[in-house]
Amino acid sequence: MEKTTGYHVAIMGATGAVGQQILKTLERRDFPIGKLTLLSSARSAGKQIQFRGETLTVEEAVPESFEGVDIALFSAGGSISQKFAPEAVKRGAIVIDNTSAFRMDPEVPLVVPEVNEAAVKEHKGLIANPNCSTIQMVAALEPIREAFGLNKVIVSTYQAVSGAGAQAIDELNNQTKSILNEEEIKPEILPVGGADKHYQIAFNVIPQIDQFTDNGYTLEELKMINETKKIMNLPSLKVAATCVRLPVETGHSESVYIEIGQNDVTVEDIKKVLSTAPGVTLQDDPSEQVYPMPAMAAGEDDIFVGRIRQDLDEKNGFHLWIVSDNLLKGAALNTVQIAESLVKLGIVSTPQHS
Amino acid sequence: MEKTTGYHVAIMGATGAVGQQILKTLERRDFPIGKLTLLSSARSAGKQIQFRGETLTVEEAVPESFEGVDIALFSAGGSISQKFAPEAVKRGAIVIDNTSAFRMDPEVPLVVPEVNEAAVKEHKGLIANPNCSTIQMVAALEPIREAFGLNKVIVSTYQAVSGAGAQAIDELNNQTKSILNEEEIKPEILPVGGADKHYQIAFNVIPQIDQFTDNGYTLEELKMINETKKIMNLPSLKVAATCVRLPVETGHSESVYIEIGQNDVTVEDIKKVLSTAPGVTLQDDPSEQVYPMPAMAAGEDDIFVGRIRQDLDEKNGFHLWIVSDNLLKGAALNTVQIAESLVKLGIVSTPQHS
């Protein structure tokens, strides 16, 4: 599609679970698009996708696909990003990459606009979108850090299957039906597409997201630990993570224990800070059974925080329950917000099609 | 039923989810029963239940039901225990109570046989069976405490609906079917039967188990905190808990962070201790994707421990993933094990029917 004013945007992985959400998010936030190029692997090329009332055809990505592109949004897996992101940058595009391929590269800003928007200014062509479970946690913790300091984080996650892609959603639904019908099941996707073993997710809990590393942590856990320090610019922050997959379609939940930098802070103080924090909705009234839940957070832009309690032993210890739509704030929305930051801060070149 | 040798056992709440598991557990562990009396509220009285090939009729409980009873196993809710347990004790029975009614009473031993079996000796008629999520955690942590000391515990739970009774299991299954059929749902049981509000559990996560207290903690969280200290006899142990309900039928999982009393302990040391711990099965081989999961733990007696990792910041910090069948070790099995301890330690009076 072409429009008289706006940027040339390319979406790599347009047919995936996150790609679809990126398209919807660009549309409803009215991002200034002059031309939209939809790209994918050969397998999905040729598919047709609706955008602002027009039908667009997905093209197989080649290096030349990025000629003239201003902003390229990548969410087609790490190896695709490694192959094509440098090609896009070489052709003058700014790449916002949803995969983990470049996140810990010191040359690449890792951005959650509510936390470190200014970091986009340091881009050298590539900007990384953090891991879904990291984004929602740092956006909720940053206002607390700003007000009271932050020394330590211990998080246990409750993650939805859509974080593993559209195939994992199908697997959850089909497996659930089979189990309710007392039919045999054959797990094929979760916990990790390429892994040796696959396990039942319906009515089960799998304490593995992504591959294991030598120290017994999964890559997902190390992402949360390392990305949190990088985004918050707190290299000596103590962070521990246990990442767990649940039979939930969309919406990641997190049980988070923090130790802040002050000893005289109350739950009310923390609630006050979060009640005006950008992108955060406080949902915390135990007397009315008000707390965040993924079934209610799915489809919403915000990060929901509740169950805020003071630790019973540590004066500077607090517990929080953080829930957000992993496909929106955890992926597509944050990606589009980064693109919006590029426009707002005048970093992206003037629209070629104006 | 009567048998020439064995104890007169009464089961209060014989038709409930835990009561049914108690019956199965007594049968398969061949507990020495001479006479078995099945009791319930008026609502369930008259139901027929099979035990060791005989058909028994459930009777409505009255104080006189406990005449001649040696051991009474209660699992019919706190108010029933408060009403009938003293009547049973008055008539000479030893009551093993599955509810929270008497657990924190300093006169009442709170027992997990693998942890504090000798405490049964101090009974004054009543012995309490701990909360399901507490039992599996303390049984896994006690061998670690014994070997290395224990200073601090932070747990986030992943609890199955069967902990909320048979009605909650039906609610999960029916709701799941409705959602898959795109029919409307009407939550009526979870998170708490008598609460004002009920929430969807299918494909959702509810961060509330039991009622809230004034400090923002739920009763379930306070049970885990207080019962852990009592069972382990560590009044100054630091314990924090966040308790969460999941769309899983049976099997509670726990993400547990601990700080032990020594700084030079390795993951291998902890694995070694747990590999010979009573009632514990080590399931920990990341290279083979071996870790505990509720779908595999359901129906098993043991407590499964895996994902053991050293914290990346605290030398004495470790992370564990603990899973067990909440109806078995978390309830029925531990109850029957307490009864077995009474026999083994010669605390229960000689069988009246020998």
Side-chain angles (χ1 to χ4, degrees), chain A residues 152 154-158 172-173 176-177 180 191-192 195-200 202-209 212-213 215-218 221-222 225 229 236-244 246-251 253 255-257 259 285-296 307-314 319-321, chain B residues 152 154-158 172-173 176-177 180 191-192 195-200 202-209 212-213 215-218 221-222 225 229 236-244 246-251 253 255-257 259 285-296 307-314 319-321:
Chain A
K152 190 185 180 99
I154 300 176
V155 55
S156 295
T157 70
Y158 300 68
L172 170 62
N173 287 329
T176 305
K177 277 178 208 157
L180 289 174
V192 183
D196 288 342
K197 293 179 186 169
H198 300 290
Y199 297 121
Q200 173 186 333
F203 305 107
N204 194 23
V205 177
I206 305 180
Q208 180 189 359
I209 297 182
F212 280 101
T213 66
N215 61 1
Y217 286 78
T218 59
E221 288 158 356
L222 295 181
I225 292 168
K229 296 179 194 191
S236 62
L237 179 70
K238 294 177 175 178
V239 188
T242 301
C243 292
V244 179
L246 304 186
V248 169
E249 185 175 315
T250 300
S253 308
S255 170
V256 183
Y257 170 71
E259 289 178 7
D285 185 354
S287 70
E288 295 288 327
Q289 292 180 260
V290 171
Y291 37 69
M293 289 182 281
M296 287 69 190
R307 297 290 336 264
I308 305 171
R309 288 154 292 153
Q310 188 141 26
D311 191 71
L312 300 180
D313 298 303
E314 309 291 353
H319 301 269
L320 303 91
W321 178 251
Chain B
K152 191 186 181 99
I154 300 176
V155 55
S156 295
T157 71
Y158 301 68
L172 170 62
N173 287 329
T176 305
K177 277 178 209 159
L180 289 173
V192 183
D196 287 341
K197 293 179 185 168
H198 300 290
Y199 297 122
Q200 173 185 335
F203 304 108
N204 194 23
V205 176
I206 306 179
Q208 180 189 359
I209 298 182
F212 280 101
T213 66
N215 61 1
Y217 286 80
T218 59
E221 289 158 356
L222 295 181
I225 292 168
K229 296 179 193 191
S236 62
L237 179 69
K238 294 176 176 179
V239 188
T242 300
C243 291
V244 179
L246 304 186
V248 169
E249 185 175 316
T250 300
S253 307
S255 170
V256 183
Y257 170 71
E259 289 177 7
D285 185 354
S287 70
E288 295 289 327
Q289 292 179 262
V290 172
Y291 37 69
M293 289 182 280
M296 288 68 191
R307 298 290 336 264
I308 305 172
R309 288 155 291 152
Q310 188 141 25
D311 190 72
L312 301 179
D313 298 302
E314 308 291 352
H319 301 269
L320 304 92
W321 178 253

Side-chain angles (χ1 to χ4, degrees), chain A residues 20-34:
Chain A
Q20 290 290 303
Q21 289 296 331
I22 287 177
L23 281 162
K24 284 186 197 165
T25 306
L26 289 168
E27 197 162 7
R28 74 186 162 87
R29 290 174 77 96
D30 206 21
F31 189 81
I33 296 177

Side-chain angles (χ1 to χ4, degrees), chain B residues 261-280:
Chain B
Q262 294 178 25
N263 277 329
D264 52 356
V265 174
T266 66
V267 167
E268 285 310 311
D269 293 332
I270 291 186
K271 285 187 181 176
K272 200 173 164 191
V273 161
L274 288 175
S275 66
T276 58
V280 171

Side-chain angles (χ1 to χ4, degrees), chain B residues 105-226:
Chain B
D105 184 332
E107 302 275 290
V108 175
L110 183 64
V111 178
V112 177
E114 291 88 345
V115 180
N116 64 338
E117 184 178 42
V120 298
K121 294 177 190 163
E122 293 148 34
H123 85 88
K124 294 183 170 63
L126 262 167
I127 297 169
N129 193 62
N131 179 262
C132 45
S133 10
T134 311
I135 292 174
Q136 68 183 65
M137 186 171 79
V138 297
L141 295 187
E142 174 62 13
I144 298 171
R145 182 211 62 77
E146 197 181 0
F148 312 117
L150 185 66
N151 302 332
K152 191 186 181 99
V153 179
I154 300 176
V155 55
S156 295
T157 71
Y158 301 68
Q159 296 183 230
V161 297
S162 56
Q167 283 188 302
I169 300 177
D170 292 342
E171 177 161 69
L172 170 62
N173 287 329
N174 293 331
Q175 226 176 61
T176 305
K177 277 178 209 159
S178 296
I179 288 175
L180 289 173
N181 293 333
E182 294 179 22
E183 296 160 4
E184 248 181 78
I185 59 160
K186 190 174 175 298
E188 287 177 327
I189 306 293
L190 290 165
V192 183
D196 287 341
K197 293 179 185 168
H198 300 290
Y199 297 122
Q200 173 185 335
I201 183 63
F203 304 108
N204 194 23
V205 176
I206 306 179
Q208 180 189 359
I209 298 182
D210 213 331
Q211 305 281 359
F212 280 101
T213 66
D214 287 345
N215 61 1
Y217 286 80
T218 59
L219 285 173
E220 183 84 354
E221 289 158 356
L222 295 181
K223 284 177 215 166
M224 287 199 80
I225 292 168
N226 296 322

Side-chain angles (χ1 to χ4, degrees), chain A residues 144 148-152 258-262 265 270 316-318:
Chain A
I144 298 171
F148 313 115
L150 185 66
N151 302 332
K152 190 185 180 99
I258 57 170
E259 289 178 7
I260 62 173
Q262 295 178 23
V265 175
I270 291 186
N316 65 335
F318 290 88

